[in-house]
Amino acid sequence: MVEKLREILLTRYIGSMLIALLCSQAFIVLIEKIAQTIFWIINDQRSRSALDSSHSSFAWDNLIFSAVTGALYLVVAYALAQWLYPTDAVCRSKATAKQR
């Protein structure tokens, strides 16, 4: 069953599209978090005044959650790429082709 799934993912190019989708999703999470952090810094600087001592704290839990989410996307994409396109099989096929 797993080999049939692997064959379908390879022959229909679904696997490569899925890897690209996972990598792009990780990139989107990264860009979103950078933009959110920049907007928080700008908003925090604008809201400060000489008389106001209150200061909103940075949402570190959201940053950590986004970093873990992006890392998981990349790990799954890498694992899927290694499963679909193993590098040792490519090296072996090149070596046998040279011997012929």
Side-chain angles (χ1 to χ4, degrees):
M1 182 83 164
V2 174
E3 285 301 316
K4 181 70 174 166
L5 175 65
R6 184 174 183 264
E7 180 184 331
I8 291 170
L9 290 175
L10 281 172
T11 57
R12 307 265 181 191
Y13 301 108
I14 298 170
S16 58
M17 287 185 270
L18 184 59
I19 292 168
L21 178 69
L22 288 167
C23 290
S24 67
Q25 191 65 28
F27 183 69
I28 288 169
V29 167
L30 174 72
I31 296 300
E32 174 191 5
K33 194 44 68 178
I34 289 171
Q36 195 175 47
T37 302
I38 290 171
F39 286 134
W40 180 87
I41 291 169
I42 291 170
N43 188 29
D44 187 53
Q45 293 296 324
R46 285 186 182 172
S47 65
R48 284 190 182 178
S49 69
L51 301 175
D52 186 21
S53 64
S54 66
H55 175 38
S56 62
S57 63
F58 185 73
W60 288 103
D61 54 341
N62 287 338
L63 180 68
I64 294 170
F65 179 75
S66 295
V68 169
T69 302
L72 283 175
Y73 281 134
L74 291 176
V75 166
V76 170
Y78 179 77
L80 185 61
Q82 288 297 313
W83 180 59
L84 290 175
Y85 311 105
T87 55
D88 59 338
V90 172
C91 294
R92 271 191 249 128
S93 65
K94 287 181 182 179
T96 56
K98 286 182 181 179
Q99 291 175 354
R100 292 182 191 171

